[in-house]
């Protein structure tokens, strides 16, 4: 039995989960979980200390007993993995949207945990897909699964994460990627227009795919179609977008136009929003296909991130998969790739626990 601590550390919230690795098969049992507002704390250490004290008081007795994990009357895990919303270098990280500077060695000393590792939040998603149940997934394309083949992971949210897994011996190794910063590759006259619009708007010389396939991309596509007068703008949605535009540069926004646009598209209550999500879904599918061409992930391609599950009805309509497989002479290769939409929003936390179990 090994007591593990998994964490998903973001600029807005920190989610911690205490896990019992109860057997040799790697079964992970969740004992306690809690969410904390990150900005209310000067560092990760006091959050973990508060969490472990609460866990000690609230978790039921488990078998085998956890008495050997007690220090000063408080449960202390043997290993921990924290998934960080930001770059991780040499087991250290400075969070993008917080004043925290994290160092695994310092955390080990201050928390009394023997082994701690920091990983990028999308690397955690890569580990997490290994621990998902069938109910956590929606299979968009069955394909022809090959157990020894690579696995690809892509996910649009605040940005666009990409990564891959390679099987070595009995386990998969997870590798992060910066594929979201590759060039946006337009495929139609409308997308070429979008590319030029973004180049002119930002006065830059290249556009990354992340500027289109992400939450900010949904807003950018909406602005492009609005300014081209593709359809009439609804006053309520227009006001939300203008408020967001006026708050440009602020660390915290009062509105989320991408969510408003997506909601209107799902409800089919606004033609401009519908066309925005249509273009977004097509670009998302095309980029997922670009990743698949490079890896041939017959172990599966997993679409994670905060957006896909929320707009699943739009993804299921077919344009995502059409764009994914529409790759000319190599299209038949992509028709063999299993494509899964990740429905579980805690896939990164699951991945952090799996990564901790391997330490």
């Amino acid at each position: 039995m090994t007591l593990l601590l998994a964490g998903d550390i973001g600029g807005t919230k920190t989610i911690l989960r205490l896990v019992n690795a109860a057997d040799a098969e790697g079964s992970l049992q969740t004992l306690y979980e809690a969410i904390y507002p990150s900005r209310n704390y000067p560092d990760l250490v006091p959050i973990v200390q508060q969490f472990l004290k609460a866990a000690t008081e609230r978790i039921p007795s488990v078998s085998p007993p956890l008495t050997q994990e007690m220090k000063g009357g408080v449960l202390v895990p043997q290993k921990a993995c924290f998934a960080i919303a930001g770059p991780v270098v040499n087991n250290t990280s400075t969070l993008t949207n917080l004043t925290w500077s994290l160092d695994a060695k310092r955390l080990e000393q201050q928390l009394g945990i023997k082994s701690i590792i920091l990983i990028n939040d999308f690397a955690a998603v890569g580990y997490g897909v290994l621990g998902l149940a069938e109910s956590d997934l929606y299979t968009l394309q069955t394909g022809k699964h090959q157990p020894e083949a690579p696995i690809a992971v892509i996910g649009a949210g605040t940005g666009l994460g990409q990564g891959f897994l390679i099987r070595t011996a009995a386990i998969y190794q997870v590798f992060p990627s910066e594929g979201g910063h590759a060039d946006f590759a337009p495929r139609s006259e409308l997308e070429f227009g979008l590319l030029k619009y973004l180049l002119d708007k930002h006065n830059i010389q290249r556009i990354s795919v992340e500027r289109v396939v992400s939450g900010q991309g949904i807003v950018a596509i909406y602005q492009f179609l609005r300014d081209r007068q593709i359809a009439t703008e609804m006053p309520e949605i227009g006001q939300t977008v203008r408020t967001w535009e006026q708050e440009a540069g602020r660390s915290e926004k009062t509105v989320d136009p991408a969510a408003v646009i997506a909601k209107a598209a799902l409800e089919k209550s606004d033609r401009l929003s519908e066309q925005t999500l249509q273009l977004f879904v097509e670009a998302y599918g095309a980029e997922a296909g670009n990743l698949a061409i490079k890896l041939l992930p017959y172990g599966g391609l997993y679409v994670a991130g905060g957006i896909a599950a929320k707009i699943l009805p739009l993804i299921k309509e077919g344009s995502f998969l059409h764009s994914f497989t529409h790759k000319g002479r190599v299209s038949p290769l992509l028709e063999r790739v299993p494509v899964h939409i990740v429905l579980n929003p805690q896939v990164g936390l699951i991945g952090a626990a799996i990564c901790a179990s391997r330490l």
Side-chain angles (χ1 to χ4, degrees):
M1 187 280 299
T2 303
L3 198 62
L4 310 174
L5 176 61
D8 188 349
I9 317 300
T12 302
K13 62 185 178 181
T14 290
I15 310 174
L16 298 177
R17 176 181 289 182
L18 195 63
V19 176
N20 180 19
D23 54 47
E25 280 70 42
S27 175
L28 302 177
Q29 174 194 8
T30 298
L31 300 176
Y32 182 68
E33 182 177 318
I35 302 176
Y36 300 87
S38 302
R39 285 188 171 86
N40 289 2
Y41 298 83
D43 185 64
L44 179 59
V45 170
I47 297 181
V48 174
Q49 291 172 335
Q50 182 178 336
F51 170 81
L52 292 176
K53 182 178 180 181
T56 304
E57 296 171 351
R58 299 183 189 181
I59 64 171
S61 59
V62 295
S63 179
L66 298 173
T67 53
Q68 67 268 36
E69 307 297 337
M70 303 287 285
K71 290 183 180 179
V74 176
L75 287 170
V76 177
Q78 295 176 1
K79 309 173 185 179
C81 174
F82 299 113
I84 310 295
V88 176
V89 179
N90 296 327
N91 226 7
T92 67
S93 179
T94 300
L95 274 73
T96 306
N97 296 316
L98 286 173
T99 57
W100 298 1
S101 181
L102 303 180
D103 183 301
K105 291 297 182 184
R106 174 179 70 84
L107 294 175
E108 287 172 354
Q109 293 171 358
Q110 294 184 351
L111 294 172
I113 299 174
K114 294 178 182 178
S115 298
I116 294 179
I117 186 170
L118 308 181
I119 62 175
N120 174 264
D121 56 350
F122 210 77
V125 173
Y127 284 105
V129 299
L130 300 174
L132 294 177
E134 189 174 336
S135 59
D136 293 324
L137 301 169
Y138 175 83
T139 298
L140 198 62
Q141 176 172 275
T142 304
K144 296 183 179 179
H145 181 261
Q146 296 179 13
E148 304 299 319
I151 293 172
V153 184
I154 186 170
T158 304
L160 179 64
Q162 297 187 13
F164 60 98
L165 294 79
I166 302 294
R167 193 172 186 87
T168 58
I171 64 171
Y172 276 98
Q173 295 292 330
V174 177
F175 298 91
S177 164
E178 292 296 338
H181 295 285
D183 297 334
F184 170 57
R187 302 164 301 120
S188 66
E189 182 180 351
L190 189 62
E191 289 186 353
F192 274 105
L194 173 62
L195 174 63
K196 186 177 186 308
Y197 174 86
L198 293 174
L199 288 169
D200 293 342
K201 182 181 179 67
H202 298 288
N203 192 27
I204 52 180
Q205 295 182 337
R206 66 178 291 273
I207 295 297
S208 69
V209 66
E210 183 176 78
R211 284 191 182 268
V212 177
V213 183
S214 62
Q216 65 175 324
I218 291 176
V219 183
I221 295 169
Y222 179 92
Q223 292 170 316
F224 163 65
L225 296 177
R226 175 199 64 189
D227 293 350
R228 285 192 59 166
Q229 299 181 334
I230 297 295
T232 303
E233 183 177 46
M234 285 183 61
E236 299 85 355
I237 298 176
Q239 183 57 53
T240 300
V241 173
R242 283 189 293 274
T243 299
W244 182 84
E245 291 169 339
Q246 292 166 1
E247 294 177 345
R250 297 184 188 177
S251 59
E252 293 187 40
K253 303 289 180 66
T254 61
V255 293
D256 184 357
V260 173
I261 294 165
K263 182 175 183 291
L266 285 165
E267 295 172 350
K268 301 189 182 302
S269 60
D270 173 46
R271 181 61 180 156
L272 185 54
S273 296
E274 288 183 66
Q275 291 181 313
T276 296
L277 266 294
Q278 176 70 24
L279 184 52
F280 172 80
V281 168
E282 290 173 359
Y284 201 168
E287 178 58 20
N290 290 340
L291 179 61
I293 284 175
K294 295 165 186 173
L295 296 172
L296 297 180
Y298 296 128
L301 181 139
Y302 292 81
V303 183
I307 296 176
K310 295 177 182 176
I311 63 166
L312 183 59
L314 301 178
I315 290 179
K316 289 164 62 176
E317 287 179 356
S319 60
F320 181 97
L321 200 55
H322 173 76
S323 298
F324 176 82
T325 57
H326 191 60
K327 300 297 183 184
R329 290 170 292 175
V330 297
S331 295
L333 296 179
L334 297 194
E335 292 169 359
R336 296 169 50 198
V337 175
V339 180
H340 309 288
I341 310 298
V342 177
L343 305 178
N344 190 331
Q346 292 191 322
V347 59
L349 199 59
I350 294 170
I354 292 173
C355 181
S357 72
R358 293 185 176 186
L359 288 175

